[in-house]
PDB file of all heavy atoms in Angstrom:
ATOM      1  N   ARG A  69      85.448 166.412 -43.252  1.00  0.00           N
ATOM      2  CA  ARG A  69      85.307 167.629 -44.121  1.00  0.00           C
ATOM      3  C   ARG A  69      83.798 167.903 -44.318  1.00  0.00           C
ATOM      4  O   ARG A  69      82.967 167.027 -44.100  1.00  0.00           O
ATOM      5  CB  ARG A  69      85.994 167.494 -45.389  1.00  0.00           C
ATOM      6  CG  ARG A  69      85.464 166.426 -46.306  1.00  0.00           C
ATOM      7  CD  ARG A  69      86.134 166.374 -47.647  1.00  0.00           C
ATOM      8  NE  ARG A  69      85.808 165.237 -48.418  1.00  0.00           N
ATOM      9  CZ  ARG A  69      84.692 165.214 -49.180  1.00  0.00           C
ATOM     10  NH1 ARG A  69      83.921 166.191 -49.241  1.00  0.00           N
ATOM     11  NH2 ARG A  69      84.418 164.144 -49.917  1.00  0.00           N
ATOM     12  N   ARG A  70      83.531 169.160 -44.605  1.00  0.00           N
ATOM     13  CA  ARG A  70      82.154 169.586 -44.849  1.00  0.00           C
ATOM     14  C   ARG A  70      81.659 168.911 -46.117  1.00  0.00           C
ATOM     15  O   ARG A  70      82.237 169.069 -47.216  1.00  0.00           O
ATOM     16  CB  ARG A  70      82.083 171.066 -44.971  1.00  0.00           C
ATOM     17  CG  ARG A  70      80.683 171.593 -45.197  1.00  0.00           C
ATOM     18  CD  ARG A  70      80.665 173.104 -45.315  1.00  0.00           C
ATOM     19  NE  ARG A  70      79.430 173.426 -45.992  1.00  0.00           N
ATOM     20  CZ  ARG A  70      78.603 174.343 -45.600  1.00  0.00           C
ATOM     21  NH1 ARG A  70      78.814 174.984 -44.479  1.00  0.00           N
ATOM     22  NH2 ARG A  70      77.512 174.625 -46.204  1.00  0.00           N
ATOM     23  N   ASP A  71      80.481 168.297 -46.023  1.00  0.00           N
ATOM     24  CA  ASP A  71      79.850 167.556 -47.169  1.00  0.00           C
ATOM     25  C   ASP A  71      79.176 168.623 -48.038  1.00  0.00           C
ATOM     26  O   ASP A  71      78.599 169.501 -47.465  1.00  0.00           O
ATOM     27  CB  ASP A  71      78.912 166.558 -46.722  1.00  0.00           C
ATOM     28  CG  ASP A  71      78.584 165.530 -47.802  1.00  0.00           C
ATOM     29  OD1 ASP A  71      78.068 165.904 -48.895  1.00  0.00           O
ATOM     30  OD2 ASP A  71      78.842 164.354 -47.530  1.00  0.00           O
ATOM     31  N   ALA A  72      79.404 168.534 -49.299  1.00  0.00           N
ATOM     32  CA  ALA A  72      78.702 169.497 -50.242  1.00  0.00           C
ATOM     33  C   ALA A  72      77.203 169.301 -50.353  1.00  0.00           C
ATOM     34  O   ALA A  72      76.562 170.244 -50.823  1.00  0.00           O
ATOM     35  CB  ALA A  72      79.411 169.360 -51.630  1.00  0.00           C
ATOM     36  N   ARG A  73      76.744 168.147 -50.022  1.00  0.00           N
ATOM     37  CA  ARG A  73      75.348 167.847 -50.202  1.00  0.00           C
ATOM     38  C   ARG A  73      74.532 168.426 -48.975  1.00  0.00           C
ATOM     39  O   ARG A  73      74.829 167.954 -47.818  1.00  0.00           O
ATOM     40  CB  ARG A  73      75.092 166.364 -50.280  1.00  0.00           C
ATOM     41  CG  ARG A  73      75.783 165.768 -51.550  1.00  0.00           C
ATOM     42  CD  ARG A  73      75.837 164.240 -51.548  1.00  0.00           C
ATOM     43  NE  ARG A  73      76.655 163.824 -50.422  1.00  0.00           N
ATOM     44  CZ  ARG A  73      76.836 162.562 -50.036  1.00  0.00           C
ATOM     45  NH1 ARG A  73      76.165 161.570 -50.622  1.00  0.00           N
ATOM     46  NH2 ARG A  73      77.668 162.263 -49.056  1.00  0.00           N
ATOM     47  N   PRO A  74      73.585 169.252 -49.235  1.00  0.00           N
ATOM     48  CA  PRO A  74      72.794 169.876 -48.052  1.00  0.00           C
ATOM     49  C   PRO A  74      72.121 168.815 -47.286  1.00  0.00           C
ATOM     50  O   PRO A  74      72.116 168.919 -46.048  1.00  0.00           O
ATOM     51  CB  PRO A  74      71.748 170.723 -48.870  1.00  0.00           C
ATOM     52  CG  PRO A  74      72.358 171.115 -50.088  1.00  0.00           C
ATOM     53  CD  PRO A  74      73.222 169.927 -50.483  1.00  0.00           C
ATOM     54  N   VAL A  75      71.626 167.702 -47.901  1.00  0.00           N
ATOM     55  CA  VAL A  75      71.019 166.611 -47.108  1.00  0.00           C
ATOM     56  C   VAL A  75      72.006 165.995 -46.090  1.00  0.00           C
ATOM     57  O   VAL A  75      71.674 165.760 -44.952  1.00  0.00           O
ATOM     58  CB  VAL A  75      70.390 165.611 -47.963  1.00  0.00           C
ATOM     59  CG1 VAL A  75      71.335 164.753 -48.764  1.00  0.00           C
ATOM     60  CG2 VAL A  75      69.513 164.591 -47.182  1.00  0.00           C
ATOM     61  N   MET A  76      73.214 165.878 -46.544  1.00  0.00           N
ATOM     62  CA  MET A  76      74.223 165.250 -45.606  1.00  0.00           C
ATOM     63  C   MET A  76      74.653 166.155 -44.529  1.00  0.00           C
ATOM     64  O   MET A  76      74.912 165.688 -43.329  1.00  0.00           O
ATOM     65  CB  MET A  76      75.393 164.668 -46.390  1.00  0.00           C
ATOM     66  CG  MET A  76      74.973 163.509 -47.340  1.00  0.00           C
ATOM     67  SD  MET A  76      73.995 162.251 -46.582  1.00  0.00           S
ATOM     68  CE  MET A  76      75.196 161.497 -45.462  1.00  0.00           C
ATOM     69  N   ARG A  77      74.650 167.439 -44.849  1.00  0.00           N
ATOM     70  CA  ARG A  77      74.906 168.416 -43.732  1.00  0.00           C
ATOM     71  C   ARG A  77      73.797 168.407 -42.696  1.00  0.00           C
ATOM     72  O   ARG A  77      74.038 168.463 -41.448  1.00  0.00           O
ATOM     73  CB  ARG A  77      75.208 169.850 -44.331  1.00  0.00           C
ATOM     74  CG  ARG A  77      76.488 169.929 -45.110  1.00  0.00           C
ATOM     75  CD  ARG A  77      76.866 171.303 -45.393  1.00  0.00           C
ATOM     76  NE  ARG A  77      75.842 172.198 -46.053  1.00  0.00           N
ATOM     77  CZ  ARG A  77      75.711 172.246 -47.341  1.00  0.00           C
ATOM     78  NH1 ARG A  77      76.489 171.666 -48.177  1.00  0.00           N
ATOM     79  NH2 ARG A  77      74.763 173.088 -47.816  1.00  0.00           N
ATOM     80  N   ALA A  78      72.558 168.301 -43.217  1.00  0.00           N
ATOM     81  CA  ALA A  78      71.447 168.285 -42.301  1.00  0.00           C
ATOM     82  C   ALA A  78      71.480 166.936 -41.475  1.00  0.00           C
ATOM     83  O   ALA A  78      71.196 167.005 -40.246  1.00  0.00           O
ATOM     84  CB  ALA A  78      70.131 168.338 -43.060  1.00  0.00           C
ATOM     85  N   VAL A  79      71.810 165.880 -42.018  1.00  0.00           N
ATOM     86  CA  VAL A  79      71.889 164.609 -41.340  1.00  0.00           C
ATOM     87  C   VAL A  79      73.070 164.682 -40.312  1.00  0.00           C
ATOM     88  O   VAL A  79      72.842 164.239 -39.097  1.00  0.00           O
ATOM     89  CB  VAL A  79      72.157 163.367 -42.335  1.00  0.00           C
ATOM     90  CG1 VAL A  79      72.635 162.184 -41.583  1.00  0.00           C
ATOM     91  CG2 VAL A  79      70.904 163.082 -43.144  1.00  0.00           C
ATOM     92  N   ASP A  80      74.122 165.237 -40.632  1.00  0.00           N
ATOM     93  CA  ASP A  80      75.240 165.435 -39.679  1.00  0.00           C
ATOM     94  C   ASP A  80      74.775 166.225 -38.505  1.00  0.00           C
ATOM     95  O   ASP A  80      75.085 165.857 -37.393  1.00  0.00           O
ATOM     96  CB  ASP A  80      76.365 166.044 -40.343  1.00  0.00           C
ATOM     97  CG  ASP A  80      77.614 166.340 -39.442  1.00  0.00           C
ATOM     98  OD1 ASP A  80      78.087 165.284 -38.902  1.00  0.00           O
ATOM     99  OD2 ASP A  80      78.022 167.404 -39.224  1.00  0.00           O
ATOM    100  N   ALA A  81      74.071 167.337 -38.740  1.00  0.00           N
ATOM    101  CA  ALA A  81      73.560 168.168 -37.688  1.00  0.00           C
ATOM    102  C   ALA A  81      72.585 167.394 -36.795  1.00  0.00           C
ATOM    103  O   ALA A  81      72.563 167.546 -35.544  1.00  0.00           O
ATOM    104  CB  ALA A  81      72.914 169.414 -38.234  1.00  0.00           C
ATOM    105  N   MET A  82      71.782 166.558 -37.377  1.00  0.00           N
ATOM    106  CA  MET A  82      70.776 165.781 -36.621  1.00  0.00           C
ATOM    107  C   MET A  82      71.547 164.821 -35.673  1.00  0.00           C
ATOM    108  O   MET A  82      71.169 164.684 -34.508  1.00  0.00           O
ATOM    109  CB  MET A  82      69.908 164.970 -37.605  1.00  0.00           C
ATOM    110  CG  MET A  82      68.902 164.032 -36.862  1.00  0.00           C
ATOM    111  SD  MET A  82      67.770 163.165 -37.991  1.00  0.00           S
ATOM    112  CE  MET A  82      68.936 161.973 -38.782  1.00  0.00           C
ATOM    113  N   PHE A  83      72.565 164.072 -36.197  1.00  0.00           N
ATOM    114  CA  PHE A  83      73.242 163.170 -35.311  1.00  0.00           C
ATOM    115  C   PHE A  83      74.141 163.882 -34.308  1.00  0.00           C
ATOM    116  O   PHE A  83      74.341 163.314 -33.128  1.00  0.00           O
ATOM    117  CB  PHE A  83      74.136 162.272 -36.126  1.00  0.00           C
ATOM    118  CG  PHE A  83      73.458 161.035 -36.748  1.00  0.00           C
ATOM    119  CD1 PHE A  83      72.839 161.106 -37.977  1.00  0.00           C
ATOM    120  CD2 PHE A  83      73.291 159.892 -35.964  1.00  0.00           C
ATOM    121  CE1 PHE A  83      72.141 160.039 -38.525  1.00  0.00           C
ATOM    122  CE2 PHE A  83      72.624 158.802 -36.473  1.00  0.00           C
ATOM    123  CZ  PHE A  83      72.033 158.798 -37.743  1.00  0.00           C
ATOM    124  N   ARG A  84      74.560 165.097 -34.558  1.00  0.00           N
ATOM    125  CA  ARG A  84      75.444 165.792 -33.600  1.00  0.00           C
ATOM    126  C   ARG A  84      74.592 166.520 -32.468  1.00  0.00           C
ATOM    127  O   ARG A  84      75.059 166.753 -31.395  1.00  0.00           O
ATOM    128  CB  ARG A  84      76.276 166.736 -34.308  1.00  0.00           C
ATOM    129  CG  ARG A  84      77.406 166.244 -35.105  1.00  0.00           C
ATOM    130  CD  ARG A  84      78.173 167.367 -35.768  1.00  0.00           C
ATOM    131  NE  ARG A  84      79.106 166.817 -36.706  1.00  0.00           N
ATOM    132  CZ  ARG A  84      80.362 166.532 -36.316  1.00  0.00           C
ATOM    133  NH1 ARG A  84      80.754 166.718 -35.079  1.00  0.00           N
ATOM    134  NH2 ARG A  84      81.187 166.021 -37.188  1.00  0.00           N
ATOM    135  N   ASN A  85      73.359 166.804 -32.771  1.00  0.00           N
ATOM    136  CA  ASN A  85      72.487 167.569 -31.844  1.00  0.00           C
ATOM    137  C   ASN A  85      71.244 166.786 -31.453  1.00  0.00           C
ATOM    138  O   ASN A  85      70.169 167.136 -31.701  1.00  0.00           O
ATOM    139  CB  ASN A  85      72.039 168.840 -32.565  1.00  0.00           C
ATOM    140  CG  ASN A  85      73.207 169.712 -32.982  1.00  0.00           C
ATOM    141  OD1 ASN A  85      73.932 170.210 -32.076  1.00  0.00           O
ATOM    142  ND2 ASN A  85      73.444 169.812 -34.272  1.00  0.00           N
ATOM    143  N   THR A  86      71.505 165.665 -30.761  1.00  0.00           N
ATOM    144  CA  THR A  86      70.376 164.693 -30.474  1.00  0.00           C
ATOM    145  C   THR A  86      69.328 165.335 -29.513  1.00  0.00           C
ATOM    146  O   THR A  86      68.292 164.857 -29.438  1.00  0.00           O
ATOM    147  CB  THR A  86      70.921 163.449 -29.877  1.00  0.00           C
ATOM    148  OG1 THR A  86      71.658 163.660 -28.696  1.00  0.00           O
ATOM    149  CG2 THR A  86      71.781 162.688 -30.936  1.00  0.00           C
ATOM    150  N   ASP A  87      69.752 166.292 -28.696  1.00  0.00           N
ATOM    151  CA  ASP A  87      68.783 166.981 -27.842  1.00  0.00           C
ATOM    152  C   ASP A  87      67.955 168.094 -28.408  1.00  0.00           C
ATOM    153  O   ASP A  87      67.028 168.592 -27.761  1.00  0.00           O
ATOM    154  CB  ASP A  87      69.559 167.519 -26.593  1.00  0.00           C
ATOM    155  CG  ASP A  87      70.181 166.339 -25.721  1.00  0.00           C
ATOM    156  OD1 ASP A  87      69.664 165.266 -25.769  1.00  0.00           O
ATOM    157  OD2 ASP A  87      71.173 166.577 -25.071  1.00  0.00           O
ATOM    158  N   ASP A  88      68.290 168.475 -29.610  1.00  0.00           N
ATOM    159  CA  ASP A  88      67.646 169.585 -30.300  1.00  0.00           C
ATOM    160  C   ASP A  88      66.779 168.977 -31.493  1.00  0.00           C
ATOM    161  O   ASP A  88      67.356 168.430 -32.395  1.00  0.00           O
ATOM    162  CB  ASP A  88      68.692 170.530 -30.865  1.00  0.00           C
ATOM    163  CG  ASP A  88      68.095 171.746 -31.534  1.00  0.00           C
ATOM    164  OD1 ASP A  88      66.910 171.838 -31.675  1.00  0.00           O
ATOM    165  OD2 ASP A  88      68.843 172.614 -32.028  1.00  0.00           O
ATOM    166  N   PRO A  89      65.482 169.143 -31.406  1.00  0.00           N
ATOM    167  CA  PRO A  89      64.645 168.620 -32.459  1.00  0.00           C
ATOM    168  C   PRO A  89      64.663 169.348 -33.787  1.00  0.00           C
ATOM    169  O   PRO A  89      64.263 168.765 -34.805  1.00  0.00           O
ATOM    170  CB  PRO A  89      63.269 168.629 -31.866  1.00  0.00           C
ATOM    171  CG  PRO A  89      63.267 169.817 -30.929  1.00  0.00           C
ATOM    172  CD  PRO A  89      64.670 169.800 -30.353  1.00  0.00           C
ATOM    173  N   ALA A  90      65.262 170.503 -33.856  1.00  0.00           N
ATOM    174  CA  ALA A  90      65.251 171.342 -34.998  1.00  0.00           C
ATOM    175  C   ALA A  90      66.003 170.687 -36.220  1.00  0.00           C
ATOM    176  O   ALA A  90      65.458 170.631 -37.346  1.00  0.00           O
ATOM    177  CB  ALA A  90      65.799 172.682 -34.794  1.00  0.00           C
ATOM    178  N   PRO A  91      67.219 170.112 -36.053  1.00  0.00           N
ATOM    179  CA  PRO A  91      67.906 169.468 -37.121  1.00  0.00           C
ATOM    180  C   PRO A  91      67.093 168.262 -37.709  1.00  0.00           C
ATOM    181  O   PRO A  91      67.058 168.103 -38.915  1.00  0.00           O
ATOM    182  CB  PRO A  91      69.235 169.070 -36.539  1.00  0.00           C
ATOM    183  CG  PRO A  91      69.463 170.011 -35.364  1.00  0.00           C
ATOM    184  CD  PRO A  91      68.047 170.204 -34.786  1.00  0.00           C
ATOM    185  N   ARG A  92      66.445 167.544 -36.840  1.00  0.00           N
ATOM    186  CA  ARG A  92      65.615 166.464 -37.306  1.00  0.00           C
ATOM    187  C   ARG A  92      64.478 166.936 -38.158  1.00  0.00           C
ATOM    188  O   ARG A  92      64.199 166.292 -39.226  1.00  0.00           O
ATOM    189  CB  ARG A  92      65.117 165.579 -36.142  1.00  0.00           C
ATOM    190  CG  ARG A  92      64.331 164.456 -36.579  1.00  0.00           C
ATOM    191  CD  ARG A  92      63.494 163.723 -35.539  1.00  0.00           C
ATOM    192  NE  ARG A  92      62.574 162.724 -36.170  1.00  0.00           N
ATOM    193  CZ  ARG A  92      62.886 161.479 -36.197  1.00  0.00           C
ATOM    194  NH1 ARG A  92      64.051 160.992 -35.750  1.00  0.00           N
ATOM    195  NH2 ARG A  92      62.082 160.549 -36.861  1.00  0.00           N
ATOM    196  N   ARG A  93      63.831 167.971 -37.791  1.00  0.00           N
ATOM    197  CA  ARG A  93      62.748 168.552 -38.618  1.00  0.00           C
ATOM    198  C   ARG A  93      63.281 168.937 -39.956  1.00  0.00           C
ATOM    199  O   ARG A  93      62.562 168.776 -40.996  1.00  0.00           O
ATOM    200  CB  ARG A  93      62.094 169.709 -37.826  1.00  0.00           C
ATOM    201  CG  ARG A  93      61.214 169.282 -36.723  1.00  0.00           C
ATOM    202  CD  ARG A  93      60.319 170.341 -36.198  1.00  0.00           C
ATOM    203  NE  ARG A  93      61.031 171.493 -35.690  1.00  0.00           N
ATOM    204  CZ  ARG A  93      61.380 171.602 -34.432  1.00  0.00           C
ATOM    205  NH1 ARG A  93      61.103 170.665 -33.502  1.00  0.00           N
ATOM    206  NH2 ARG A  93      62.079 172.725 -33.990  1.00  0.00           N
ATOM    207  N   VAL A  94      64.475 169.466 -40.095  1.00  0.00           N
ATOM    208  CA  VAL A  94      65.099 169.806 -41.370  1.00  0.00           C
ATOM    209  C   VAL A  94      65.210 168.490 -42.224  1.00  0.00           C
ATOM    210  O   VAL A  94      64.850 168.506 -43.404  1.00  0.00           O
ATOM    211  CB  VAL A  94      66.402 170.481 -41.182  1.00  0.00           C
ATOM    212  CG1 VAL A  94      67.191 170.633 -42.594  1.00  0.00           C
ATOM    213  CG2 VAL A  94      66.274 171.825 -40.514  1.00  0.00           C
ATOM    214  N   VAL A  95      65.709 167.468 -41.639  1.00  0.00           N
ATOM    215  CA  VAL A  95      65.879 166.196 -42.334  1.00  0.00           C
ATOM    216  C   VAL A  95      64.514 165.597 -42.740  1.00  0.00           C
ATOM    217  O   VAL A  95      64.358 165.110 -43.892  1.00  0.00           O
ATOM    218  CB  VAL A  95      66.665 165.194 -41.570  1.00  0.00           C
ATOM    219  CG1 VAL A  95      66.894 163.871 -42.300  1.00  0.00           C
ATOM    220  CG2 VAL A  95      68.029 165.719 -41.247  1.00  0.00           C
ATOM    221  N   GLU A  96      63.552 165.726 -41.944  1.00  0.00           N
ATOM    222  CA  GLU A  96      62.177 165.315 -42.293  1.00  0.00           C
ATOM    223  C   GLU A  96      61.614 166.066 -43.473  1.00  0.00           C
ATOM    224  O   GLU A  96      60.984 165.477 -44.325  1.00  0.00           O
ATOM    225  CB  GLU A  96      61.244 165.366 -41.035  1.00  0.00           C
ATOM    226  CG  GLU A  96      61.569 164.352 -39.946  1.00  0.00           C
ATOM    227  CD  GLU A  96      60.744 164.526 -38.684  1.00  0.00           C
ATOM    228  OE1 GLU A  96      60.142 165.674 -38.495  1.00  0.00           O
ATOM    229  OE2 GLU A  96      60.702 163.669 -37.873  1.00  0.00           O
TER     230      GLU A  96
END
Side-chain angles (χ1 to χ4, degrees):
R69 64 179 171 80
R70 180 183 159 127
D71 198 300
R73 299 168 292 176
V75 64
M76 296 311 293
R77 289 194 307 269
V79 165
D80 181 61
M82 178 178 70
F83 275 93
R84 288 179 186 272
N85 300 293
T86 59
D87 293 333
D88 181 0
R92 181 192 173 97
R93 286 194 297 269
V94 171
V95 178
E96 288 173 345

